[in-house]
Amino acid sequence: MQETETGLTKQARIEAILALIPAGRVASYGQVADLAGLPGRARLVGKVLRETQKTLPWHRVLGAGGKISLPKGSVGFDEQTGRLQQEGVPVMGGRVRMKEWQWQPDLAELLFLIPF
């Protein structure tokens, strides 16, 4: 993946944000892209998640409306639902109430933690 002006690849920037999402919280694809300094690149976040699914908390990333993006009834859908519920995040009808469970990071903390 191409480097950004900071020297980190876009993938590395997205991975850095994904690693910060705490257990019991969720983020949308667009939110991750915005926090990585890549506004409008929600699909790129999905691509990175597909490539690094086993090493990052992929299950904490949802569509903007809180919907699980995997097909209902699929192994991935069931795994994501189960992981979120294990962390105390209620999933009803394949959705999470973003108003209650969305990660709202402190900007100062992000600036300190992200290696950009």
Coordinates of all heavy atoms in Angstrom, one line a residue, residues 17-93:
I17 N -5.3 2.4 14.3 CA -6.6 2.8 14.9 C -7.3 1.6 15.4 O -7.9 1.5 16.5 CB -7.4 3.6 13.9 CG1 -6.7 5.0 13.6 CG2 -8.8 3.9 14.4 CD1 -6.5 5.9 14.8
L18 N -7.4 0.6 14.5 CA -8.1 -0.7 14.9 C -7.6 -1.2 16.2 O -8.4 -1.7 17.0 CB -8.0 -1.7 13.8 CG -8.7 -1.4 12.5 CD1 -8.2 -2.4 11.4 CD2 -10.2 -1.4 12.7
A19 N -6.3 -1.2 16.4 CA -5.7 -1.8 17.6 C -6.1 -1.0 18.9 O -6.0 -1.6 20.0 CB -4.2 -1.8 17.5
L20 N -6.6 0.2 18.7 CA -6.9 1.1 19.9 C -8.4 0.9 20.3 O -8.7 1.4 21.4 CB -6.7 2.5 19.6 CG -5.2 2.9 19.4 CD1 -5.1 4.4 18.9 CD2 -4.4 2.7 20.6
I21 N -9.2 0.3 19.5 CA -10.6 0.2 19.8 C -10.8 -0.7 21.0 O -10.4 -1.9 21.0 CB -11.5 -0.4 18.7 CG1 -11.3 0.5 17.4 CG2 -13.0 -0.5 19.1 CD1 -11.9 -0.1 16.2
P22 N -11.3 -0.2 22.2 CA -11.3 -1.0 23.4 C -12.4 -2.1 23.4 O -13.4 -1.9 22.7 CB -11.5 0.0 24.5 CG -12.2 1.1 23.8 CD -11.7 1.2 22.4
A23 N -12.2 -3.1 24.1 CA -13.2 -4.1 24.3 C -14.5 -3.5 24.8 O -14.4 -2.6 25.7 CB -12.7 -5.2 25.3
G24 N -15.6 -3.9 24.4 CA -16.9 -3.4 24.8 C -17.3 -2.1 24.1 O -18.3 -1.5 24.5
R25 N -16.5 -1.8 23.1 CA -16.9 -0.6 22.3 C -16.8 -1.0 20.8 O -16.1 -1.9 20.4 CB -15.9 0.6 22.5 CG -16.1 1.2 23.9 CD -17.4 1.9 24.0 NE -17.7 2.3 25.3 CZ -18.9 2.6 25.7 NH1 -19.9 2.6 24.9 NH2 -19.1 2.9 27.0
V26 N -17.5 -0.2 19.9 CA -17.5 -0.5 18.5 C -17.2 0.8 17.8 O -17.3 1.9 18.3 CB -18.8 -1.1 18.0 CG1 -19.1 -2.4 18.6 CG2 -20.0 -0.1 18.3
A27 N -16.8 0.7 16.5 CA -16.5 1.9 15.7 C -17.1 1.5 14.3 O -17.2 0.4 13.9 CB -15.0 2.2 15.6
S28 N -17.4 2.5 13.5 CA -17.8 2.3 12.1 C -16.6 2.3 11.2 O -15.6 2.8 11.6 CB -18.8 3.4 11.7 OG -18.2 4.6 11.5
Y29 N -16.8 1.7 10.0 CA -15.7 1.8 9.0 C -15.3 3.2 8.7 O -14.1 3.5 8.7 CB -16.2 1.1 7.7 CG -16.4 -0.4 7.9 CD1 -17.7 -0.9 8.1 CD2 -15.4 -1.3 7.7 CE1 -17.9 -2.2 8.2 CE2 -15.6 -2.7 7.8 CZ -16.9 -3.1 8.1 OH -17.1 -4.5 8.2
G30 N -16.3 4.1 8.6 CA -16.0 5.5 8.3 C -15.3 6.2 9.4 O -14.4 7.0 9.2
Q31 N -15.6 5.9 10.6 CA -15.0 6.5 11.8 C -13.5 6.1 11.8 O -12.6 6.9 12.1 CB -15.7 6.0 13.1 CG -15.1 6.6 14.3 CD -15.7 6.0 15.6 OE1 -16.5 5.1 15.6 NE2 -15.3 6.6 16.7
V32 N -13.2 4.8 11.6 CA -11.8 4.3 11.6 C -11.0 5.0 10.5 O -9.9 5.5 10.7 CB -11.8 2.8 11.4 CG1 -10.3 2.3 11.2 CG2 -12.4 2.1 12.6
A33 N -11.6 5.2 9.3 CA -11.0 5.9 8.2 C -10.7 7.3 8.6 O -9.6 7.8 8.4 CB -11.8 5.8 7.0
D34 N -11.7 8.0 9.2 CA -11.5 9.4 9.6 C -10.4 9.5 10.6 O -9.5 10.4 10.5 CB -12.8 10.0 10.2 CG -13.8 10.2 9.1 OD1 -13.5 10.2 7.9 OD2 -15.0 10.4 9.5
L35 N -10.4 8.7 11.6 CA -9.4 8.7 12.7 C -8.0 8.4 12.2 O -7.0 8.9 12.7 CB -9.7 7.8 13.8 CG -10.9 8.2 14.7 CD1 -11.3 7.1 15.6 CD2 -10.7 9.5 15.4
A36 N -7.9 7.6 11.1 CA -6.6 7.3 10.5 C -6.1 8.4 9.5 O -5.1 8.2 8.9 CB -6.7 5.9 9.7
G37 N -6.9 9.5 9.4 CA -6.6 10.5 8.5 C -6.9 10.2 7.1 O -6.3 10.8 6.2
L38 N -7.9 9.3 6.9 CA -8.2 8.9 5.5 C -9.7 9.1 5.3 O -10.5 8.1 5.1 CB -7.8 7.5 5.3 CG -6.3 7.2 5.5 CD1 -6.1 5.7 5.6 CD2 -5.6 7.7 4.3
P39 N -10.3 10.3 5.4 CA -11.7 10.5 5.3 C -12.2 10.0 3.9 O -11.6 10.1 2.9 CB -11.9 12.0 5.4 CG -10.5 12.6 5.2 CD -9.5 11.6 5.5
G40 N -13.4 9.4 4.0 CA -14.0 8.9 2.8 C -13.5 7.5 2.3 O -13.8 7.0 1.3
R41 N -12.7 6.9 3.1 CA -12.0 5.6 2.7 C -12.5 4.4 3.6 O -11.8 3.5 3.9 CB -10.5 5.7 2.9 CG -9.8 6.9 2.1 CD -10.0 6.8 0.6 NE -9.6 5.5 0.0 CZ -8.4 5.2 -0.5 NH1 -7.5 6.1 -0.5 NH2 -8.2 4.0 -1.0
A42 N -13.8 4.4 3.9 CA -14.4 3.3 4.7 C -14.2 2.0 4.0 O -13.9 1.0 4.7 CB -15.9 3.6 4.9
R43 N -14.3 1.9 2.7 CA -14.1 0.7 2.0 C -12.6 0.2 2.1 O -12.4 -1.0 2.2 CB -14.4 0.8 0.5 CG -15.9 0.9 0.3 CD -16.3 1.0 -1.2 NE -17.7 1.3 -1.3 CZ -18.4 0.9 -2.3 NH1 -17.9 0.1 -3.2 NH2 -19.7 1.2 -2.3
L44 N -11.7 1.1 2.2 CA -10.3 0.7 2.4 C -10.2 0.0 3.8 O -9.4 -1.0 3.9 CB -9.4 1.9 2.3 CG -7.9 1.6 2.5 CD1 -7.4 0.6 1.5 CD2 -7.1 2.9 2.4
V45 N -10.9 0.5 4.8 CA -10.9 -0.1 6.1 C -11.4 -1.5 6.0 O -10.8 -2.4 6.6 CB -11.7 0.7 7.1 CG1 -11.9 0.0 8.4 CG2 -11.1 2.1 7.3
G46 N -12.4 -1.7 5.3 CA -13.0 -3.1 5.1 C -11.9 -4.0 4.4 O -11.8 -5.2 4.8
K47 N -11.2 -3.5 3.4 CA -10.2 -4.3 2.8 C -9.1 -4.6 3.7 O -8.6 -5.8 3.8 CB -9.6 -3.5 1.6 CG -8.5 -4.2 0.8 CD -8.0 -3.4 -0.3 CE -6.9 -4.2 -1.0 NZ -6.0 -3.3 -1.7
V48 N -8.6 -3.7 4.5 CA -7.6 -4.0 5.5 C -8.1 -5.0 6.5 O -7.3 -6.0 6.9 CB -7.1 -2.7 6.2 CG1 -6.2 -3.0 7.4 CG2 -6.4 -1.8 5.3
L49 N -9.3 -4.9 6.9 CA -9.8 -5.9 7.9 C -9.9 -7.3 7.3 O -9.6 -8.3 8.0 CB -11.3 -5.5 8.3 CG -11.3 -4.4 9.4 CD1 -12.7 -3.9 9.6 CD2 -10.7 -4.9 10.7
R50 N -10.2 -7.4 6.0 CA -10.2 -8.7 5.4 C -8.8 -9.3 5.3 O -8.7 -10.5 5.5 CB -10.8 -8.6 4.0 CG -12.3 -8.5 3.9 CD -12.9 -8.7 2.5 NE -12.4 -7.6 1.6 CZ -12.9 -6.4 1.5 NH1 -13.9 -6.0 2.3 NH2 -12.5 -5.5 0.7
E51 N -7.8 -8.5 5.2 CA -6.4 -9.0 5.1 C -5.8 -9.3 6.4 O -4.9 -10.1 6.5 CB -5.6 -7.9 4.4 CG -6.0 -7.7 2.9 CD -5.2 -6.5 2.3 OE1 -4.5 -5.8 2.9 OE2 -5.5 -6.3 1.1
T52 N -6.3 -8.6 7.5 CA -5.6 -8.8 8.8 C -6.6 -9.3 9.9 O -6.4 -9.1 11.1 CB -5.0 -7.5 9.3 OG1 -6.1 -6.5 9.4 CG2 -3.9 -7.0 8.3
Q53 N -7.7 -9.9 9.5 CA -8.8 -10.3 10.3 C -8.3 -11.0 11.6 O -8.9 -10.8 12.7 CB -9.7 -11.2 9.5 CG -11.0 -11.3 10.1 CD -11.9 -12.1 9.2 OE1 -12.5 -13.0 9.7 NE2 -12.1 -11.8 8.0
K54 N -7.4 -11.8 11.6 CA -7.0 -12.7 12.7 C -6.2 -11.9 13.8 O -6.1 -12.4 14.9 CB -6.3 -13.9 12.3 CG -7.1 -14.8 11.3 CD -8.4 -15.3 12.0 CE -9.2 -16.1 11.0 NZ -10.6 -16.3 11.4
T55 N -5.6 -10.8 13.4 CA -4.7 -10.2 14.4 C -5.2 -8.9 15.0 O -4.6 -8.4 15.9 CB -3.3 -9.9 13.7 OG1 -3.5 -9.0 12.6 CG2 -2.6 -11.1 13.2
L56 N -6.3 -8.4 14.5 CA -6.9 -7.1 15.0 C -8.3 -7.4 15.5 O -8.9 -8.4 15.1 CB -6.9 -6.1 13.9 CG -5.5 -5.6 13.4 CD1 -5.6 -4.8 12.2 CD2 -4.8 -4.8 14.5
P57 N -8.8 -6.5 16.3 CA -10.2 -6.7 16.8 C -11.2 -6.3 15.7 O -12.0 -5.4 15.8 CB -10.3 -5.7 18.0 CG -9.3 -4.7 17.7 CD -8.2 -5.3 16.9
W58 N -11.3 -7.1 14.6 CA -12.1 -6.8 13.5 C -13.6 -6.8 13.9 O -14.4 -6.1 13.2 CB -11.9 -7.8 12.4 CG -12.2 -9.2 12.8 CD1 -11.3 -10.1 13.4 CD2 -13.4 -9.9 12.7 NE1 -12.0 -11.3 13.7 CE2 -13.3 -11.2 13.3 CE3 -14.7 -9.6 12.2 CZ2 -14.3 -12.1 13.4 CZ3 -15.7 -10.5 12.3 CH2 -15.5 -11.8 12.9
H59 N -13.9 -7.6 14.9 CA -15.3 -7.7 15.3 C -15.9 -6.4 15.8 O -17.1 -6.3 15.9 CB -15.5 -8.9 16.3 CG -14.7 -8.7 17.5 ND1 -13.4 -8.8 17.6 CD2 -15.2 -8.3 18.8 CE1 -13.0 -8.6 18.8 NE2 -14.0 -8.3 19.6
R60 N -15.1 -5.5 16.2 CA -15.6 -4.2 16.8 C -15.9 -3.2 15.7 O -16.2 -2.0 16.1 CB -14.5 -3.7 17.7 CG -14.3 -4.6 18.9 CD -13.2 -4.1 19.9 NE -12.9 -5.1 20.8 CZ -11.7 -5.3 21.4 NH1 -10.7 -4.5 21.0 NH2 -11.5 -6.3 22.2
V61 N -15.8 -3.5 14.5 CA -16.0 -2.5 13.4 C -17.3 -2.9 12.7 O -17.5 -4.0 12.3 CB -14.9 -2.5 12.4 CG1 -15.1 -1.5 11.3 CG2 -13.6 -2.2 13.1
L62 N -18.2 -1.9 12.6 CA -19.6 -2.1 12.0 C -19.9 -1.1 11.0 O -19.2 -0.1 10.9 CB -20.6 -2.0 13.1 CG -20.4 -2.9 14.4 CD1 -21.3 -2.4 15.5 CD2 -20.7 -4.3 14.0
G63 N -21.0 -1.3 10.3 CA -21.5 -0.3 9.3 C -21.9 1.0 10.1 O -22.1 0.9 11.3
A64 N -22.0 2.1 9.5 CA -22.4 3.3 10.1 C -23.6 3.3 11.0 O -23.7 3.9 12.0 CB -22.5 4.5 9.1
G65 N -24.6 2.5 10.6 CA -25.8 2.4 11.3 C -25.8 1.3 12.4 O -26.8 1.0 13.0
G66 N -24.6 0.8 12.7 CA -24.4 -0.2 13.7 C -24.7 -1.6 13.2 O -24.7 -2.6 14.0
K67 N -24.8 -1.8 11.9 CA -25.2 -3.1 11.4 C -23.9 -3.9 11.1 O -22.9 -3.4 10.6 CB -25.9 -2.9 10.1 CG -26.4 -4.2 9.4 CD -27.2 -4.0 8.2 CE -27.6 -5.3 7.6 NZ -28.0 -5.2 6.2
I68 N -24.0 -5.2 11.4 CA -22.9 -6.1 11.1 C -23.0 -6.3 9.6 O -24.0 -6.5 9.0 CB -23.1 -7.5 11.8 CG1 -22.9 -7.3 13.3 CG2 -22.2 -8.5 11.2 CD1 -23.1 -8.5 14.1
S69 N -21.8 -6.1 8.9 CA -21.8 -6.1 7.5 C -21.7 -7.5 6.8 O -21.8 -7.6 5.6 CB -20.6 -5.3 7.0 OG -20.7 -3.9 7.5
L70 N -21.4 -8.5 7.6 CA -21.4 -9.8 7.0 C -22.8 -10.4 6.8 O -23.7 -10.0 7.5 CB -20.6 -10.7 8.0 CG -19.1 -10.3 8.2 CD1 -18.5 -11.0 9.4 CD2 -18.3 -10.5 6.9
P71 N -22.9 -11.3 5.9 CA -24.3 -11.9 5.6 C -24.8 -12.6 6.9 O -24.2 -13.4 7.5 CB -24.0 -12.9 4.5 CG -22.7 -12.5 3.9 CD -21.9 -11.9 5.0
K72 N -26.1 -12.3 7.2 CA -26.8 -12.9 8.4 C -26.8 -14.4 8.2 O -27.1 -14.9 7.1 CB -28.2 -12.3 8.4 CG -28.8 -12.4 9.8 CD -30.1 -11.6 9.8 CE -30.3 -11.1 11.3 NZ -31.4 -10.2 11.4
G73 N -26.4 -15.1 9.3 CA -26.4 -16.5 9.3 C -25.1 -17.1 8.8 O -24.9 -18.3 8.9
S74 N -24.1 -16.3 8.3 CA -22.8 -16.8 7.9 C -22.0 -17.1 9.2 O -22.3 -16.6 10.3 CB -22.1 -15.8 7.0 OG -21.7 -14.6 7.8
V75 N -20.9 -17.8 9.0 CA -20.0 -18.1 10.1 C -19.4 -16.8 10.6 O -19.3 -16.7 11.9 CB -18.9 -19.1 9.6 CG1 -17.8 -19.3 10.7 CG2 -19.5 -20.4 9.2
G76 N -19.0 -15.9 9.8 CA -18.4 -14.7 10.2 C -19.4 -13.8 11.0 O -19.1 -13.2 12.0
F77 N -20.7 -13.8 10.5 CA -21.7 -13.0 11.2 C -21.9 -13.6 12.6 O -21.9 -12.8 13.6 CB -23.0 -13.1 10.5 CG -24.2 -12.4 11.1 CD1 -24.5 -11.1 10.7 CD2 -25.0 -13.0 12.0 CE1 -25.6 -10.4 11.3 CE2 -26.0 -12.4 12.6 CZ -26.3 -11.1 12.3
D78 N -22.0 -14.9 12.7 CA -22.2 -15.5 14.0 C -21.0 -15.3 14.9 O -21.1 -15.1 16.2 CB -22.5 -17.0 13.9 CG -23.8 -17.3 13.2 OD1 -24.7 -16.4 13.2 OD2 -24.0 -18.4 12.7
E79 N -19.8 -15.4 14.4 CA -18.6 -15.1 15.2 C -18.5 -13.7 15.7 O -18.2 -13.4 16.8 CB -17.3 -15.5 14.4 CG -16.0 -15.3 15.1 CD -14.8 -15.7 14.4 OE1 -14.9 -16.1 13.2 OE2 -13.7 -15.5 14.9
Q80 N -18.8 -12.7 14.8 CA -18.8 -11.3 15.2 C -19.8 -11.1 16.3 O -19.5 -10.4 17.3 CB -19.0 -10.4 14.0 CG -18.8 -9.0 14.3 CD -18.8 -8.1 13.1 OE1 -19.2 -8.5 12.0 NE2 -18.3 -6.9 13.2
T81 N -21.0 -11.6 16.1 CA -22.1 -11.4 17.1 C -21.6 -12.0 18.4 O -21.7 -11.3 19.5 CB -23.4 -12.1 16.6 OG1 -23.8 -11.5 15.4 CG2 -24.4 -12.0 17.7
G82 N -21.1 -13.2 18.4 CA -20.6 -13.9 19.6 C -19.5 -13.1 20.3 O -19.5 -12.9 21.6
R83 N -18.5 -12.6 19.6 CA -17.4 -11.9 20.2 C -17.9 -10.6 20.8 O -17.5 -10.2 21.9 CB -16.4 -11.6 19.1 CG -15.5 -12.8 18.7 CD -14.5 -12.3 17.7 NE -13.6 -13.4 17.4 CZ -12.3 -13.3 17.1 NH1 -11.8 -12.1 17.1 NH2 -11.6 -14.3 16.8
L84 N -18.8 -9.9 20.1 CA -19.3 -8.6 20.7 C -20.1 -8.9 22.0 O -19.9 -8.2 23.0 CB -20.2 -7.9 19.7 CG -19.4 -7.3 18.5 CD1 -20.4 -6.8 17.4 CD2 -18.5 -6.1 19.0
Q85 N -20.9 -9.9 22.0 CA -21.7 -10.3 23.1 C -20.8 -10.7 24.3 O -21.1 -10.4 25.5 CB -22.7 -11.3 22.8 CG -23.8 -10.8 21.9 CD -24.9 -11.8 21.5 OE1 -24.6 -13.0 21.4 NE2 -26.1 -11.3 21.1
Q86 N -19.7 -11.4 24.0 CA -18.8 -11.8 25.1 C -18.2 -10.5 25.7 O -17.8 -10.6 26.9 CB -17.7 -12.7 24.5 CG -18.1 -14.1 24.2 CD -17.0 -14.9 23.6 OE1 -16.0 -14.4 23.2 NE2 -17.2 -16.2 23.5
E87 N -18.0 -9.5 25.0 CA -17.5 -8.2 25.5 C -18.6 -7.3 26.1 O -18.3 -6.2 26.6 CB -16.8 -7.4 24.4 CG -15.5 -8.1 23.9 CD -14.8 -7.4 22.8 OE1 -15.3 -6.3 22.4 OE2 -13.8 -7.8 22.3
G88 N -19.8 -7.8 26.2 CA -20.9 -7.1 26.8 C -21.6 -6.2 25.9 O -22.4 -5.4 26.4
V89 N -21.4 -6.2 24.6 CA -22.1 -5.4 23.6 C -23.3 -6.1 23.1 O -23.2 -7.2 22.5 CB -21.1 -5.0 22.4 CG1 -21.9 -4.2 21.4 CG2 -19.9 -4.3 22.9
P90 N -24.5 -5.6 23.4 CA -25.7 -6.3 22.9 C -25.9 -6.2 21.4 O -25.7 -5.1 20.9 CB -26.8 -5.7 23.7 CG -26.3 -4.4 24.2 CD -24.8 -4.5 24.2
V91 N -26.2 -7.3 20.8 CA -26.4 -7.3 19.3 C -27.9 -7.8 19.2 O -28.2 -8.9 19.6 CB -25.4 -8.2 18.6 CG1 -25.8 -8.2 17.1 CG2 -24.0 -7.8 18.9
M92 N -28.7 -7.0 18.6 CA -30.1 -7.4 18.3 C -30.4 -7.2 16.9 O -30.3 -6.1 16.3 CB -31.0 -6.5 19.2 CG -30.9 -6.8 20.7 SD -32.0 -5.7 21.6 CE -30.7 -4.6 22.3
G93 N -30.8 -8.3 16.3 CA -31.2 -8.3 14.8 C -30.0 -7.9 14.0 O -30.2 -7.3 12.9

